[in-house]
Amino acid sequence: MTAPKAVGSDRAERQPDALTVARWCAAQGWPVHPLAPGRKTPPANCQACQDSPHSPAECTCPRVGRWCHGFHAATVEQDVLSAWWHVNPGFGAGVACGPAGLVVIDVDSHPGAVPSRDRILPGIPIHEHVNLEGLENGYHTLALLAALRKAPDPAEDTGTLRVRTPSGGLHIWYRDHAHHRFTCSAGSSTGRALAWQVDVRAHGGYIVVPGTTTANGTYTPLPGATIPAPLPQWLAGELIRTGHLKDRPGQQPSTLQPAVPDRARQAVVAAGGGKRGAERVLDTVLQDVTDCATTPEGAGFTGRLNRAAYTVGGLVSAGHLTHAAAEQLLTDAARTARPSQDRHNSAVIRSGLTAGARQPLHIGKARG
């Protein structure tokens, strides 16, 4: 089947509408869900789901043809897609990466301070004598990673589908042909990440379909291949190295989680705690916040962040960790889930910490 022009390199002809592209994606076996008109996020849940928050697994809406819970409602059923776009022809389209067997490398190009050297390529030491002048964004860190592995730069890979984003970033689409079942990550995360300003879209996330137009512009395919190529072996190895496997035989689930638990443990120990109960509480509330990364809307993010900050404030007041460490951990978790709303996140964190500090959360030491 020939891809519609929105998923190809010829932009001389008019772009097809979103439903046409959604139909084409579904025909490839890629489950599709709508995006809110002019935006890159899914439309809001129905009123019943908003009034009574619940997990996507518990929701009956997708089974009766509603689009609640974002990519969790994605489908390849052509009649359902027609019904959705009949309700709102202005919908954009997204593809649920995991069920589609896709891994998309999302390269960002955002202005900002370069992080510490240990966060540029997580797990790969960058010594002080290495000159980082000119390193500014995800294009640079991905190219650096490829150069270290003596591999071609994926951003220049004309053999696979590449899509320029309205912000100047790049989506590099690949097929997970070996069925690794990789998971998502954010390049700004202090936990699991492939490289600074390089996000991974896989199980637990979605990708905006080429040709979709938002208020900021259009997701435009670049010249070259019109379909995703198999994920390069070296890149699959890097995703495995950086902890992106969803299921790995013989490995305990705890080792597959983001690095928040380890940082939480270090924060507690640094405060002289070493209390396993405090570590578990901290792990749990931080994980509850970072889990929102897989649900752009309808996850109750603000409420979760507020509850986490309140609980952590109690831990701080009881002496289990310092206020500075608590604020940093909460900020990192919030940024992983909602990277574009730091000001809002900071206000919620400060308020929650202050309120929680009035109720010290004393937890005894675990017996050795």
Side-chain angles (χ1 to χ4, degrees):
M1 180 177 181
T2 302
K5 290 291 189 263
V7 194
S9 59
D10 182 0
R11 298 187 294 277
E13 300 182 25
R14 183 180 66 87
Q15 295 282 6
D17 59 49
L19 177 57
T20 299
V21 182
R23 285 183 176 280
W24 183 85
C25 291
Q28 314 311 303
W30 304 342
V32 178
H33 61 95
L35 302 178
R39 298 172 61 185
K40 63 179 182 179
T41 54
N45 291 345
C46 71
Q47 194 61 49
C49 287
Q50 294 182 51
D51 293 342
S52 180
H54 50 269
S55 71
E58 299 170 325
C59 187
T60 60
C61 290
R63 293 197 290 273
V64 295
R66 290 195 287 268
W67 56 71
C68 295
H69 302 287
F71 68 86
H72 295 284
T75 182
V76 296
E77 297 296 330
Q78 297 284 352
D79 57 341
V80 175
L81 297 179
S82 295
W84 286 346
W85 266 266
H86 177 75
V87 172
N88 194 332
F91 277 153
V95 164
C97 294
L102 295 173
V103 175
V104 180
I105 307 302
D106 181 357
V107 183
D108 290 333
S109 183
H110 301 317
V114 177
S116 59
R117 290 172 178 257
D118 63 321
R119 288 183 55 196
I120 293 174
L121 296 177
I124 299 177
I126 299 180
H127 299 293
E128 291 297 328
H129 70 270
V130 176
N131 185 0
L132 298 180
E133 184 177 356
L135 189 147
E136 297 177 351
N137 54 49
Y139 287 99
H140 300 150
T141 56
L142 184 60
L144 176 60
L145 178 61
L148 288 172
R149 300 310 186 212
K150 297 180 172 58
D153 182 357
E156 304 296 329
D157 186 359
T158 59
T160 196
L161 173 62
R162 296 171 303 146
V163 181
R164 182 76 67 201
T165 72
S167 65
L170 186 68
H171 291 169
I172 310 167
W173 292 49
Y174 289 113
R175 287 186 289 109
D176 182 15
H177 62 293
H179 307 293
H180 288 101
R181 290 174 59 82
F182 291 116
T183 56
C184 295
S185 70
S188 59
S189 173
T190 55
R192 176 184 56 192
L194 180 65
W196 177 62
Q197 287 210 18
V198 177
D199 301 342
V200 177
R201 309 293 183 190
H203 279 273
Y206 66 90
I207 195 69
V208 179
V209 167
T212 296
T213 297
T214 69
N216 296 319
T218 300
Y219 287 75
T220 306
L222 296 183
T226 62
I227 59 174
L231 182 69
Q233 185 173 354
W234 78 268
L235 200 46
E238 289 303 301
L239 292 171
I240 293 171
R241 178 186 65 80
T242 50
H244 285 80
L245 283 180
K246 180 175 177 60
D247 301 304
R248 188 169 186 178
Q251 194 170 23
Q252 295 299 318
S254 60
T255 63
L256 299 177
Q257 300 300 318
V260 167
D262 286 339
R263 299 194 69 228
R265 185 171 302 109
Q266 293 165 10
V268 172
V269 172
K275 305 174 182 64
R276 294 182 184 177
E279 296 166 7
R280 284 194 296 270
V281 171
L282 196 54
D283 291 351
T284 298
V285 297
L286 293 174
Q287 192 70 61
D288 192 45
V289 173
T290 58
D291 282 347
C292 291
T294 64
T295 310
E297 290 189 356
F301 169 76
T302 298
R304 291 193 191 196
L305 180 59
N306 183 61
R307 288 191 295 272
Y310 182 90
T311 301
V312 175
L315 292 175
V316 170
S317 184
H320 295 297
L321 75 164
T322 66
H323 185 278
E327 190 167 25
Q328 187 61 58
L329 286 167
L330 287 162
T331 298
D332 291 343
R335 188 171 291 152
T336 296
R338 298 291 186 269
S340 61
Q341 55 183 54
D342 279 354
R343 183 176 298 179
H344 169 79
N345 296 345
S346 295
V348 174
I349 289 169
R350 287 195 300 269
S351 174
L353 284 173
T354 299
R358 302 188 189 104
Q359 298 291 332
L361 184 57
H362 295 287
I363 301 173
K365 290 185 179 180
R367 295 178 180 178

